[in-house]
Amino acid sequence: MVIDGLLHRVIMPSIMETVPKPILASEMLSSTTDQVPPSVSSGWASIDRILGGHGWQAGQVSEISGASGSGKTQICLVSAVKLLLEHDNSRVIWIETNNGSFSAERANNTAKAQLKKIASKQDSRDIETRLRHVLDRITIYTCPDINSLLDTIQQLHAELPPLANRPPIFVVIDPLSAILTNLLWAPDGAGPATIMHTSRQLRVLAHDLSVAVVITNVAVQLNGPEEQSPSILQSSVAKPGLGISWRFATDLQLFVSRLETPPSQWGHPMQSSEVLPSQQVARLAEIVRSKRQVSGEFHKYSPLFCTLLIIPTAPA
């Protein structure tokens, strides 16, 4: 009798609390249209188009994969700088997993280069004021291992303000693969389980706080001639790292490659709306997997030509 009473008064109510509550489609639509979270531009109009027209979507975890030197960190940095220059009081949270992956000098030079494109009527003092205002809104965390990363994610979830009347927030983890790769070979399946737990925590952070989260992932060699690369480039022998367990861990996967091969080896006719100064600086951005965008969309772009900024008035 005591057990039956405990079952009905304590255990069953606690179980019912964990059961997901249903929601009507009309309620879901109204909740998404009443308050649309701001997206974060990649810094290139061509990349924004294949990302859905507006860049990195708030509430989602996006991934940039590519070989070393393909431009993953540069896309993150340009995205961050463009957001900070165009939106006063916006914030960037940069989580580096390798010491020195974030460079304040590089961020400063990126912002300065963008300002000089439109700053013909501004004096140097105004530019320096804006540059300081950019760097003051970038917070860097160094997480050398998975435990410090998970602690940081939980801290951000507790401290960042909700969406209501809040400027955009952009979260970058560069490179996430640096601390997850070793977990792939952990004993007793603990590694893949930890990787999936990390994925869920990132999704919770992005969804609950309506922030755009972008992580970078290294590219690895294909296992053999029987395995195909997700890239449209016939010459590509690479694929995103972190294995099959990570394949669907993010909402979108952008694969970036250097175009150092002649056009005859690209494997697909290319068109570009941007002027490329040389073959050596060209990059190819491809949507290899997405829950909302069309997979297979791609665009050639140049890291030397970013979208022009829309600068608000200088901060006081």
Side-chain angles (χ1 to χ4, degrees), residues 47-171:
I47 297 180
D48 284 350
R49 281 194 292 272
I50 65 175
L51 291 175
H54 303 286
W56 312 112
Q57 296 297 313
Q60 294 187 11
V61 180
S62 302
E63 173 184 347
I64 307 175
S65 298
S68 177
S70 60
K72 304 183 296 295
T73 300
Q74 183 188 27
I75 293 177
C76 294
L77 192 59
V78 171
S79 300
V81 167
K82 191 172 190 298
L83 171 71
L84 294 171
L85 286 171
E86 292 187 342
H87 297 274
D88 280 341
N89 300 321
S90 59
R91 291 184 58 191
V92 170
I93 309 296
W94 193 289
I95 302 175
E96 58 174 13
T97 58
N98 287 338
N99 290 332
S101 66
F102 176 83
S103 169
E105 181 179 3
R106 188 176 179 185
N108 186 75
N109 292 339
T110 300
K112 183 180 295 185
Q114 290 289 297
L115 285 172
K116 286 184 176 179
K117 294 179 180 180
I118 60 168
S120 58
K121 296 182 180 180
Q122 299 176 345
D123 59 25
S124 59
R125 290 174 299 178
D126 186 26
I127 292 179
E128 291 302 321
T129 299
R130 292 184 182 277
L131 291 176
R132 173 59 62 179
H133 190 49
V134 166
L135 297 181
D136 284 345
R137 289 177 289 138
I138 303 177
T139 304
I140 302 97
Y141 293 85
T142 300
C143 299
D145 53 54
I146 187 62
N147 292 325
S148 59
L149 175 63
L150 292 173
D151 289 343
T152 300
I153 294 174
Q154 292 180 357
Q155 179 182 344
L156 292 175
H157 190 277
E159 294 180 354
L160 291 180
L163 176 62
N165 300 319
R166 188 207 68 198
I169 296 176
F170 185 43
V171 178

Side-chain angles (χ1 to χ4, degrees), residues 35 67 71 105 111 114 131 151 185 196 207 213 222 228-229 231 269 278-279:
Q35 192 175 51
E105 181 179 3
Q114 290 289 297
L131 291 176
D151 289 343
W185 297 278
M196 289 299 97
H207 179 269
V213 177
L222 299 177
Q228 293 184 347
S229 170
S231 174
S278 67
Q279 176 69 15

Side-chain angles (χ1 to χ4, degrees), residues 63 65-66 217-220 229-230 238-243 246 253-255 288:
E63 173 184 347
S65 298
N217 183 12
V218 71
V220 296
S229 170
K239 63 179 181 180
L242 295 180
W246 186 259
Q253 192 173 63
L254 185 75
F255 196 71
V288 298

